[in-house]
Amino acid sequence: MRRNLVIGNWKMHGDIQRNQLLLEKIVDGLRELNHADYVVCVPNIYIFQARALLENTNIAWGGQNVNQFEEGAFTGAIAPHMLTDLGCTYVILGHSERRNLFFETNLTAAARFDAAIRAGLTPVFCVGETLEEHEAGLTEVIVASQMDAVMATLSDADFAKAMAVNMVFAYEPVWAIGTGKTATPQQAQSVHQFIRHRIARRNPDAAAKVRIIYGGSVKAHNAADLFAMPDVDGGLIGGASLLADEFIAICQAANSVASSTCLMELT
Ligand code: PGA
Protein backbone atom coordinates (compact mmCIF):
# COMPACT_ATOMS: atom_id res chain seq x y z
CA MET A 1 0.00 0.00 0.00
CA ARG A 2 1.41 3.37 -0.98
CA ARG A 3 0.72 6.36 1.22
CA ASN A 4 -0.05 9.60 -0.55
CA LEU A 5 2.64 12.24 -0.38
CA VAL A 6 2.23 16.00 -0.76
CA ILE A 7 5.31 18.18 -1.15
CA GLY A 8 5.25 21.96 -1.16
CA ASN A 9 7.93 23.48 -3.36
CA TRP A 10 8.27 27.07 -2.23
CA LYS A 11 10.80 27.87 -4.95
CA MET A 12 12.39 31.33 -4.40
CA HIS A 13 9.59 32.75 -2.27
CA GLY A 14 9.27 33.82 1.34
CA ASP A 15 10.81 35.85 4.11
CA ILE A 16 11.18 35.17 7.81
CA GLN A 17 7.88 36.74 8.77
CA ARG A 18 5.74 35.25 6.00
CA ASN A 19 7.36 31.83 6.46
CA GLN A 20 6.51 31.81 10.11
CA LEU A 21 2.84 32.64 9.49
CA LEU A 22 2.56 30.09 6.71
CA LEU A 23 4.28 27.30 8.63
CA GLU A 24 2.25 27.92 11.77
CA LYS A 25 -1.00 27.75 9.80
CA ILE A 26 0.10 24.59 8.00
CA VAL A 27 1.15 22.88 11.22
CA ASP A 28 -2.26 23.69 12.64
CA GLY A 29 -4.17 22.60 9.56
CA LEU A 30 -2.39 19.29 9.08
CA ARG A 31 -2.21 18.19 12.70
CA GLU A 32 -5.03 15.64 12.44
CA LEU A 33 -4.22 14.35 8.96
CA ASN A 34 -2.53 11.04 9.58
CA HIS A 35 -3.16 9.09 6.39
CA ALA A 36 -0.61 10.75 4.10
CA ASP A 37 2.88 12.25 4.28
CA TYR A 38 3.59 15.98 4.04
CA VAL A 39 6.77 17.85 3.22
CA VAL A 40 7.78 21.45 2.57
CA CYS A 41 10.88 22.25 0.52
CA VAL A 42 11.94 25.76 1.42
CA PRO A 43 14.83 27.93 0.18
CA ASN A 44 18.04 26.66 1.78
CA ILE A 45 18.54 29.73 3.89
CA TYR A 46 15.22 29.11 5.65
CA ILE A 47 15.78 25.44 6.46
CA PHE A 48 16.81 26.38 10.00
CA GLN A 49 13.52 28.18 10.43
CA ALA A 50 11.54 25.29 8.95
CA ARG A 51 13.26 22.88 11.30
CA ALA A 52 12.49 25.04 14.34
CA LEU A 53 8.80 25.22 13.45
CA LEU A 54 8.27 21.70 12.08
CA GLU A 55 10.26 19.56 14.49
CA ASN A 56 7.93 17.15 16.31
CA THR A 57 5.07 17.73 13.85
CA ASN A 58 3.79 15.44 11.10
CA ILE A 59 5.42 17.65 8.45
CA ALA A 60 8.91 16.95 7.12
CA TRP A 61 11.16 19.48 5.41
CA GLY A 62 13.62 19.29 2.57
CA GLY A 63 15.77 21.05 0.01
CA GLN A 64 14.92 22.10 -3.53
CA ASN A 65 18.19 20.85 -4.98
CA VAL A 66 21.57 19.56 -3.86
CA ASN A 67 25.04 19.35 -5.30
CA GLN A 68 26.57 16.02 -6.28
CA PHE A 69 29.87 16.64 -4.49
CA GLU A 70 30.47 16.04 -0.82
CA GLU A 71 32.50 19.16 -0.23
CA GLY A 72 35.05 21.41 -1.84
CA ALA A 73 35.50 24.62 -3.75
CA PHE A 74 31.99 24.88 -5.20
CA THR A 75 30.88 28.45 -4.48
CA GLY A 76 27.17 28.71 -3.82
CA ALA A 77 26.56 24.96 -3.70
CA ILE A 78 25.01 22.88 -0.92
CA ALA A 79 26.21 19.35 -0.17
CA PRO A 80 23.88 16.47 0.72
CA HIS A 81 25.24 16.16 4.26
CA MET A 82 24.43 19.82 4.85
CA LEU A 83 20.77 19.07 4.21
CA THR A 84 20.78 16.03 6.49
CA ASP A 85 22.63 18.07 9.14
CA LEU A 86 19.59 20.31 9.31
CA GLY A 87 17.16 17.44 9.50
CA CYS A 88 16.08 17.46 5.86
CA THR A 89 14.76 14.12 4.72
CA TYR A 90 13.71 14.98 1.14
CA VAL A 91 15.33 16.77 -1.76
CA ILE A 92 13.80 17.75 -5.09
CA LEU A 93 16.05 16.95 -8.04
CA GLY A 94 15.94 17.61 -11.77
CA HIS A 95 13.15 20.16 -11.54
CA SER A 96 12.45 21.65 -14.96
CA GLU A 97 13.38 25.11 -13.67
CA ARG A 98 16.81 23.74 -12.72
CA ARG A 99 17.11 22.11 -16.14
CA ASN A 100 15.87 25.10 -18.16
CA LEU A 101 17.13 28.10 -16.19
CA PHE A 102 20.28 26.70 -14.62
CA PHE A 103 21.37 24.38 -17.40
CA GLU A 104 21.25 21.18 -15.40
CA THR A 105 21.18 18.05 -17.51
CA ASN A 106 20.04 14.47 -17.20
CA LEU A 107 23.64 13.69 -16.31
CA THR A 108 23.97 16.14 -13.42
CA ALA A 109 20.49 15.29 -12.17
CA ALA A 110 21.47 11.61 -12.11
CA ALA A 111 24.73 12.38 -10.27
CA ARG A 112 22.79 14.39 -7.69
CA PHE A 113 20.31 11.55 -7.30
CA ASP A 114 23.18 9.24 -6.53
CA ALA A 115 24.72 11.65 -4.02
CA ALA A 116 21.34 12.18 -2.33
CA ILE A 117 20.66 8.48 -1.76
CA ARG A 118 24.20 7.93 -0.49
CA ALA A 119 23.52 10.63 2.12
CA GLY A 120 20.23 8.97 3.08
CA LEU A 121 18.01 11.66 1.55
CA THR A 122 14.82 10.76 -0.27
CA PRO A 123 15.20 12.10 -3.81
CA VAL A 124 12.12 13.47 -5.54
CA PHE A 125 13.19 13.13 -9.13
CA CYS A 126 11.25 15.30 -11.58
CA VAL A 127 10.54 14.33 -15.15
CA GLY A 128 8.25 15.86 -17.73
CA GLU A 129 7.94 17.13 -21.26
CA THR A 130 7.70 20.67 -22.64
CA LEU A 131 4.67 21.93 -24.53
CA GLU A 132 6.39 21.44 -27.91
CA GLU A 133 7.32 17.88 -26.98
CA HIS A 134 3.79 17.28 -25.71
CA GLU A 135 2.24 18.56 -28.92
CA ALA A 136 4.66 16.50 -30.98
CA GLY A 137 3.51 13.34 -29.18
CA LEU A 138 6.92 12.87 -27.55
CA THR A 139 5.84 12.70 -23.90
CA GLU A 140 6.82 9.07 -23.37
CA VAL A 141 10.09 9.40 -25.28
CA ILE A 142 11.17 12.36 -23.16
CA VAL A 143 10.02 10.89 -19.86
CA ALA A 144 11.74 7.59 -20.69
CA SER A 145 15.03 9.34 -21.46
CA GLN A 146 14.88 11.30 -18.19
CA MET A 147 14.02 8.17 -16.21
CA ASP A 148 16.68 6.09 -17.90
CA ALA A 149 19.34 8.71 -17.13
CA VAL A 150 18.88 7.79 -13.48
CA MET A 151 18.05 4.12 -13.72
CA ALA A 152 21.04 3.38 -15.95
CA THR A 153 23.49 4.92 -13.48
CA LEU A 154 22.23 2.87 -10.54
CA SER A 155 24.04 -0.36 -9.77
CA ASP A 156 21.89 -3.04 -8.13
CA ALA A 157 23.30 -2.00 -4.76
CA ASP A 158 22.45 1.66 -5.44
CA PHE A 159 18.98 0.69 -6.60
CA ALA A 160 18.47 -1.11 -3.29
CA LYS A 161 19.71 2.02 -1.52
CA ALA A 162 17.27 4.16 -3.50
CA MET A 163 14.46 1.85 -2.41
CA ALA A 164 15.64 1.98 1.19
CA VAL A 165 15.27 5.78 1.18
CA ASN A 166 11.91 5.50 -0.61
CA MET A 167 12.83 7.31 -3.80
CA VAL A 168 10.02 9.32 -5.33
CA PHE A 169 9.38 10.31 -8.94
CA ALA A 170 7.42 13.41 -9.84
CA TYR A 171 5.75 13.76 -13.20
CA GLU A 172 5.67 17.46 -13.94
CA PRO A 173 4.65 18.36 -17.47
CA VAL A 174 6.51 21.64 -18.06
CA TRP A 175 3.44 23.10 -19.81
CA ALA A 176 1.46 22.72 -16.60
CA ILE A 177 3.94 24.30 -14.18
CA GLY A 178 2.81 27.70 -12.99
CA THR A 179 0.49 28.06 -15.98
CA GLY A 180 -2.86 27.18 -14.42
CA LYS A 181 -3.16 24.41 -17.06
CA THR A 182 -3.30 21.06 -15.29
CA ALA A 183 -2.95 17.68 -16.93
CA THR A 184 -6.28 15.89 -16.79
CA PRO A 185 -6.41 13.05 -14.28
CA GLN A 186 -6.44 10.63 -17.24
CA GLN A 187 -3.37 12.25 -18.84
CA ALA A 188 -1.53 12.13 -15.51
CA GLN A 189 -2.56 8.52 -14.91
CA SER A 190 -1.33 7.43 -18.31
CA VAL A 191 2.16 8.93 -17.81
CA HIS A 192 2.37 7.73 -14.21
CA GLN A 193 1.56 4.23 -15.34
CA PHE A 194 4.22 4.53 -18.03
CA ILE A 195 6.77 5.61 -15.39
CA ARG A 196 5.79 2.68 -13.17
CA HIS A 197 6.23 0.25 -16.05
CA ARG A 198 9.63 1.75 -16.72
CA ILE A 199 10.68 1.06 -13.12
CA ALA A 200 9.17 -2.41 -13.36
CA ARG A 201 11.53 -3.26 -16.19
CA ARG A 202 14.26 -2.94 -13.57
CA ASN A 203 12.40 -4.36 -10.61
CA PRO A 204 8.66 -5.18 -10.52
CA ASP A 205 8.44 -5.25 -6.71
CA ALA A 206 10.05 -1.84 -6.48
CA ALA A 207 7.73 -0.47 -9.13
CA ALA A 208 4.69 -1.35 -7.06
CA LYS A 209 6.16 0.46 -4.05
CA VAL A 210 7.64 3.64 -5.54
CA ARG A 211 5.54 6.74 -5.11
CA ILE A 212 4.94 8.77 -8.24
CA ILE A 213 3.51 12.20 -7.55
CA TYR A 214 2.06 14.73 -9.99
CA GLY A 215 3.06 18.39 -10.24
CA GLY A 216 1.80 21.23 -12.40
CA SER A 217 -0.92 23.63 -11.26
CA VAL A 218 -2.32 21.33 -8.58
CA LYS A 219 -4.87 23.36 -6.62
CA ALA A 220 -7.47 22.68 -3.97
CA HIS A 221 -10.18 22.28 -6.63
CA ASN A 222 -8.42 19.66 -8.78
CA ALA A 223 -6.30 17.73 -6.24
CA ALA A 224 -8.84 15.08 -5.27
CA ASP A 225 -9.53 14.03 -8.87
CA LEU A 226 -5.81 13.74 -9.62
CA PHE A 227 -5.03 11.84 -6.43
CA ALA A 228 -7.90 9.44 -7.11
CA MET A 229 -6.02 8.00 -10.08
CA PRO A 230 -4.50 4.62 -9.23
CA ASP A 231 -0.92 5.54 -10.10
CA VAL A 232 -0.98 9.12 -8.79
CA ASP A 233 0.36 9.00 -5.24
CA GLY A 234 0.10 12.66 -4.31
CA GLY A 235 1.41 15.97 -5.59
CA LEU A 236 4.34 18.35 -5.89
CA ILE A 237 2.80 21.73 -5.28
CA GLY A 238 4.35 25.05 -6.30
CA GLY A 239 2.17 28.18 -6.22
CA ALA A 240 -0.56 26.68 -4.07
CA SER A 241 1.95 25.67 -1.39
CA LEU A 242 2.42 29.36 -0.53
CA LEU A 243 -1.24 29.77 0.39
CA ALA A 244 -2.01 28.08 3.69
CA ASP A 245 -5.68 27.36 2.97
CA GLU A 246 -4.99 25.98 -0.52
CA PHE A 247 -2.13 23.80 0.68
CA ILE A 248 -4.10 22.47 3.62
CA ALA A 249 -7.04 21.64 1.33
CA ILE A 250 -4.70 19.78 -1.04
CA CYS A 251 -3.28 17.83 1.91
CA GLN A 252 -6.79 17.04 3.06
CA ALA A 253 -7.56 15.64 -0.39
CA ALA A 254 -4.46 13.43 -0.20
CA ASN A 255 -5.39 12.37 3.29
CA SER A 256 -8.89 11.29 2.36
CA VAL A 257 -8.18 9.61 -0.97
CA ALA A 258 -6.74 6.24 -0.11
CA SER A 259 -3.70 5.57 -2.22
CA SER A 260 -3.85 2.64 -4.57
CA THR A 261 -3.65 -0.75 -2.98
CA CYS A 262 -3.83 -2.73 -6.17
CA LEU A 263 -0.69 -3.55 -8.06
CA MET A 264 -0.92 -2.50 -11.64
CA GLU A 265 -0.83 -5.16 -14.25
CA LEU A 266 2.74 -5.67 -15.29
CA THR A 267 2.73 -6.89 -18.84
P1 PGA B 1 2.94 24.85 -9.73
O1 PGA B 1 4.45 24.34 -9.65
O2 PGA B 1 2.13 24.08 -8.74
O3 PGA B 1 3.03 26.33 -9.39
O4 PGA B 1 2.48 24.63 -11.14
C1 PGA B 1 4.74 22.97 -9.49
C2 PGA B 1 6.23 22.76 -9.44
O5 PGA B 1 6.97 23.44 -10.15
O6 PGA B 1 6.72 21.89 -8.69
Side-chain angles (χ1 to χ4, degrees):
M1 163 116 183
R2 299 186 300 269
R3 264 167 85 84
N4 275 332
L5 169 67
V6 179
I7 303 178
N9 174 11
W10 286 13
K11 308 190 180 181
M12 199 174 74
H13 293 286
D15 57 46
I16 289 180
Q17 209 182 347
R18 278 191 287 160
N19 299 347
Q20 174 152 356
L21 282 175
L22 179 55
L23 289 171
E24 283 173 354
K25 282 190 187 167
I26 292 172
V27 166
D28 231 34
L30 303 192
R31 188 166 288 137
E32 308 293 325
L33 308 185
N34 297 318
H35 302 300
D37 296 326
Y38 315 101
V39 185
V40 289
C41 291
V42 303
N44 287 331
I45 200 154
Y46 296 127
I47 291 174
F48 254 101
Q49 188 186 18
R51 178 173 70 168
L53 290 163
L54 298 178
E55 231 164 12
N56 303 318
T57 71
N58 58 344
I59 307 169
W61 58 97
Q64 299 175 7
N65 195 16
V66 78
N67 197 265
Q68 64 267 44
F69 300 109
E70 285 181 16
E71 67 175 14
F74 302 106
T75 302
I78 298 285
H81 76 87
M82 297 174 184
L83 292 184
T84 55
D85 239 10
L86 292 178
C88 290
T89 42
Y90 288 79
V91 63
I92 298 169
L93 293 172
H95 191 281
S96 62
E97 284 151 18
R98 297 300 317 178
R99 294 174 190 264
N100 299 334
L101 305 173
F102 299 96
F103 312 110
E104 289 185 18
T105 61
N106 273 342
L107 223 61
T108 54
R112 287 161 190 227
F113 183 100
D114 224 35
I117 59 169
R118 270 187 276 117
L121 287 161
T122 297
V124 180
F125 194 82
C126 303
V127 297
E129 80 287 5
T130 63
L131 183 61
E132 297 71 50
E133 291 160 348
H134 180 71
E135 286 174 346
L138 293 174
T139 300
E140 292 190 353
V141 174
I142 297 299
V143 168
S145 71
Q146 293 167 336
M147 295 278 306
D148 292 353
V150 170
M151 303 298 258
T153 62
L154 293 179
S155 64
D156 285 345
D158 285 342
F159 190 88
K161 232 178 263 171
M163 287 309 295
V165 295
N166 301 314
M167 70 173 158
V168 174
F169 285 92
Y171 170 53
E172 295 211 308
V174 181
W175 48 269
I177 296 176
T179 59
K181 264 196 224 166
T182 320
T184 64
Q186 292 71 23
Q187 278 174 322
Q189 167 57 24
S190 144
V191 181
H192 283 229
Q193 190 176 41
F194 175 78
I195 291 171
R196 206 175 294 287
H197 276 107
R198 206 82 195 167
I199 303 167
R201 285 170 25 153
R202 178 72 182 259
N203 183 327
D205 284 345
K209 289 190 188 124
V210 168
R211 289 188 285 190
I212 305 169
I213 61 178
Y214 169 81
S217 298
V218 178
K219 310 286 178 199
H221 71 85
N222 58 25
D225 288 344
L226 286 160
F227 300 164
M229 293 290 114
D231 287 297
V232 178
D233 306 315
L236 181 52
I237 320 298
S241 71
L242 300 168
L243 304 168
D245 292 345
E246 276 280 311
F247 190 65
I248 292 166
I250 292 168
C251 292
Q252 282 166 339
N255 189 64
S256 49
V257 175
S259 198
S260 172
T261 47
C262 55
L263 302 186
M264 83 279 168
E265 237 179 273
L266 296 172
T267 49

